[in-house]
Amino acid sequence: MRTVISGGMVITAEGSRMADVLIDGELIVGVGATSEFSNMTVDRVIDASGKWLIPGGIDVHTHMELPFGGTFAKDTFFTGTRAAAFGGTTTVVDFAVQSRGKSLREGLDAWHSKAEGHAAIDYGFHMIMSDVNDDTLKEMDTLVAEGIPDFKLFTAYPGVFFSDDGAIFRAMQQSGKNGGMIMMHAENGLAIDVIAADTVAAGVTDPIGHGLARYSGLEGEATHRVIRLAEAAKVPVYIVHLSAKEALKSVRAAREERLPVYAETCPQYLFLSIKDLGDGFNGSKFVCSPPLRSEDHQPELWGGLVRDDLQIVATDHCPFDFHGQKELGRDDFRKIPNGLPGVEDRIDLLHDGGVVTGKITKERWVEICSTAPAKLFGMYPKKGAIAVGSDADIVMYDPAAKHVISAATHHMDVDYSCYEGRQVQGASEIVLSRGNIIVEGGAFLGREGAGKFLRRDRAEYARREL
Ligand code: URP
Ligand code: ZN
Ligand code: ZN
């Protein structure tokens, strides 16, 4: 099957130009001047006049079916990846979970079973490590060889995912040797739990207590600590879901020292604030960790994206219904499952709130949503590029289309939207995954199970000279 996408503006992290794109089967085989391929025999021509062609979005932080707080994140690999596709994302990297007392292998096998035959777009896995011991350290090497080169550890959630500094350091040393990368959830969970208990004892049980207890300075403290642990262990470290200016300051300082330190933020920290947590129990819709911050953190985060202190915007998509799931914490904010939906909205929110407002260029938008994730997470140039030899994961984007985000129209399997009623400019009109049109004109044309597992490369890019 040969396809030409003609008359569009190809936007990549490096620059933009009017160009036609030739696809053969699953791959891009030509990127040429407009009409360069007009004499070729092709099976399909897609007219992209007036539209942008961008590499498919890559969301490196999702939690399909994550067990949390006595329930499970609602989207399955099918519903979650289908929603991602509607929003212009053609690759996700989800977090497989090692349950306490079980092996990494058992956790990984469980995630393969959840995804295989169900994901509608290509997917990879990171591994959440709950126990660090001689056996799991050995397993890390095996996983790296199997294309799972990154491991997430937590200084938060005592009793659940929390690891102490010694355990984190051991995992870091192992990854320093095996070519992998460490991802850190950096909040001081031990101190936060004390403050949260004090908050409840003082009579604050509503969701706002979640935001009040999780001080931004305690994210800053943990971020600084794990960066210095990683420096000592000689391993690249990636700070997930960075929300606070104090944490950003530590990342920036480390990068100025040319340490291999990287970080992502998420749309919720750029567009939402602690005020959203303050609307009685309705605020539970916005409970995630780290929590939403006061608005003065937002310009700092945007500045971080502009200056490349932050390299990536990922969603931390972790949806729980308001009814029946968030309600588990009606009497105590500590029992509200942590996480927000967002995999479908990222590209449009960043276009509307970043490109349209002039905060970032359209090329930087492509970089933080697709190219940088591909490079840092061992998928480039197969993914994250519109170039000869790359997978034909392409989004035909209408930068002028306007639409209103709503739970009534979104495709995520969750009963609310954090952005209900918000009008955004920009929409994915046609989405191709490895040459196949999977979304067109608001309809899903893909297939459950069409997504393939991505064996990703070691974190060589993260080890390059900064
Ligand atoms: O609130 C969040 N972020 N839930 C998902 C789990 C995690 O910490 O990433
Ligand atoms: Zn986390
Ligand atoms: Zn997460």
Side-chain angles (χ1 to χ4, degrees):
M1 172 86 159
R2 272 215 296 211
T3 304
V4 165
I5 313 180
S6 146
M9 182 187 287
V10 172
I11 302 174
T12 65
E14 294 78 33
S16 305
R17 61 180 172 133
M18 298 301 296
D20 286 4
V21 180
L22 180 65
I23 298 166
D24 196 353
E26 299 194 343
L27 299 180
I28 296 171
V29 293
V31 183
T34 304
S35 303
E36 189 171 316
F37 309 118
S38 56
N39 293 330
M40 294 189 83
T41 315
V42 293
D43 305 289
R44 179 172 61 187
V45 177
I46 298 175
D47 178 10
S49 310
K51 306 290 160 57
W52 293 353
L53 300 175
I54 59 172
I58 301 176
D59 190 342
V60 291
H61 192 152
T62 67
H63 298 284
M64 308 303 173
E65 304 173 50
L66 176 78
F68 198 109
T71 185
F72 286 83
K74 187 96 183 302
D75 267 317
T76 62
F77 270 86
F78 177 50
T79 62
T81 55
R82 183 181 55 182
F86 273 107
T89 288
T90 52
T91 302
V92 294
V93 187
D94 201 82
F95 287 85
V97 178
Q98 178 217 2
S99 306
R100 280 251 141 88
K102 303 260 173 76
S103 63
L104 300 188
R105 171 68 55 205
E106 283 168 277
L108 180 60
D109 285 351
W111 249 256
H112 274 300
S113 319
K114 287 177 205 259
E116 202 181 330
H118 299 289
I121 58 175
D122 291 350
Y123 60 94
F125 297 131
H126 317 285
M127 189 82 221
I128 286 180
M129 283 185 81
S130 303
D131 296 317
V132 177
N133 54 45
D134 290 347
D135 292 334
T136 57
L137 287 169
K138 272 196 215 105
E139 283 192 284
M140 288 174 85
D141 299 353
T142 319
L143 262 58
V144 172
E146 288 179 21
I148 295 138
D150 5 79
F151 303 87
K152 182 179 178 190
L153 290 106
F154 297 72
T155 58
Y157 308 136
V160 189
F161 295 129
F162 174 88
S163 293
D164 66 28
D165 289 355
I168 291 168
F169 191 66
R170 287 189 83 196
M172 285 179 164
Q173 285 183 316
Q174 195 75 18
S175 255
K177 286 182 270 176
N178 68 23
M181 182 157 73
I182 294 293
M183 306 173 80
M184 286 301 315
H185 179 139
E187 289 182 287
N188 188 324
L190 294 172
I192 284 169
D193 276 10
V194 173
I195 303 166
D198 290 348
T199 308
V200 171
V204 181
T205 56
D206 266 359
I208 188 67
H210 177 82
L212 297 175
R214 303 184 87 92
Y215 297 174
S216 59
L218 293 176
E219 185 183 338
E221 181 277 322
T223 303
H224 175 76
R225 180 163 32 109
V226 300
I227 286 172
R228 295 305 155 184
L229 290 173
E231 180 188 15
K234 299 187 175 50
V235 69
V237 65
Y238 178 89
I239 309 296
V240 295
H241 46 48
L242 186 149
S243 73
K245 53 188 171 190
E246 294 89 336
L248 179 60
K249 199 170 153 198
S250 293
V251 169
R252 181 179 304 138
R255 290 178 62 80
E256 279 167 5
E257 291 173 42
R258 299 186 178 273
L259 293 174
V261 173
Y262 308 91
E264 72 182 19
T265 189
C266 310
Q268 50 270 32
Y269 304 120
L270 296 166
F271 297 105
L272 304 172
S273 80
I274 190 164
K275 286 188 192 151
D276 293 295
L277 281 167
D279 177 20
F281 192 69
N282 208 38
S284 65
K285 294 175 179 171
F286 301 89
V287 166
C288 59
S289 293
L292 303 181
R293 302 294 184 193
S294 53
E295 279 163 355
D296 55 312
H297 291 262
Q298 293 174 358
E300 302 275 342
L301 297 179
W302 281 109
L305 286 170
V306 170
R307 287 189 298 268
D308 203 36
D309 300 325
L310 302 171
Q311 295 72 44
I312 290 176
V313 176
T315 61
D316 196 5
H317 176 75
C318 189
F320 298 99
D321 273 345
F322 177 67
H323 297 292
Q325 294 193 294
K326 291 287 187 180
E327 279 175 341
L328 292 168
R330 198 169 265 289
D331 301 323
D332 183 341
F333 66 80
R334 294 172 297 179
K335 296 188 180 139
I336 299 169
N338 287 198
L340 310 180
V343 75
E344 187 169 353
D345 303 320
R346 178 182 67 129
I347 306 271
D348 295 342
L349 283 169
L350 266 286
H351 177 263
D352 182 64
V355 181
V356 175
T357 59
K359 290 190 180 79
I360 53 171
T361 64
K362 56 189 184 311
E363 293 79 15
R364 180 67 178 149
W365 168 64
V366 166
E367 188 167 30
I368 62 184
C369 290
S370 179
T371 310
K375 287 180 176 172
L376 264 176
F377 288 95
M379 294 176 268
Y380 188 83
K382 179 178 170 64
K383 305 289 188 191
I386 297 188
V388 172
S390 296
D391 281 359
D393 291 357
I394 298 174
V395 176
M396 186 172 103
Y397 199 78
D398 184 344
K402 293 192 172 144
H403 63 108
V404 174
I405 298 178
S406 171
T409 48
H410 74 199
H411 302 87
M412 299 174 285
D413 185 19
V414 60
D415 65 2
Y416 74 96
S417 169
C418 291
Y419 306 97
E420 188 65 42
R422 185 184 185 111
Q423 179 177 277
V424 286
Q425 183 179 326
S428 298
E429 203 172 288
I430 296 182
V431 179
L432 290 98
S433 166
R434 279 185 280 103
N436 296 309
I437 294 182
I438 59 169
V439 172
E440 183 169 16
F444 180 66
L445 306 180
R447 181 174 58 78
E448 180 169 3
K452 284 190 189 159
F453 170 67
L454 291 161
R455 291 175 78 100
R456 294 179 295 112
D457 297 336
R458 280 164 212 261
E460 288 314 320
Y461 182 81
R463 284 176 163 75
R464 79 200 186 285
E465 196 75 19
L466 280 190

